[in-house]
Amino acid sequence: MVDLDRSISIATKSGKTEFGMKRAVKAARNGDAMAIVVAANAPDQMKEDVLRYASLSEIPVISYPKSSQDLGIACGRPHLTAFVTIFNAGDSDIMSAVN
């Protein structure tokens, strides 16, 4: 089993990631993301937009079981983070968390 917090932390430090819903939607539309992590308490309409575009581009979406505050902490950021777009996982094993 993958420790999601640890994997996200490593991906943000050693790979290429970006934060926020606008960037997640843009990456999903263009099909240039490796995966998108979505916090459990992300707003429903925003989550639906990201999921729709990700499914069209066949980009895996990883459901983060905790809040956006916890996701922000896992990313080493001092604020809420509902969406993390992963372009390069770096040394992380986060892709094994994809179902």
Side-chain angles (χ1 to χ4, degrees), residues 37-61:
V37 180
V38 180
N41 67 336
D44 290 335
Q45 184 60 46
M46 292 178 180
K47 191 184 302 186
E48 288 174 16
D49 290 345
V50 170
L51 291 173
R52 180 176 53 244
Y53 291 120
S55 68
L56 291 173
S57 299
E58 297 180 359
I59 295 172
V61 175

Side-chain angles (χ1 to χ4, degrees), residues 39 41 64 66-74 77 79-82:
N41 67 336
Y64 186 73
K66 299 177 186 174
S67 71
S68 56
Q69 181 176 9
D70 295 323
L71 183 56
I73 291 168
R77 304 196 45 101
H79 50 79
L80 303 177
T81 304

Side-chain angles (χ1 to χ4, degrees), residues 5-6 14 25 41 54-55 59 61 63 72 95:
D5 288 331
R6 182 179 162 278
S14 67
V25 168
N41 67 336
S55 68
I59 295 172
V61 175
S63 295
M95 292 311 291

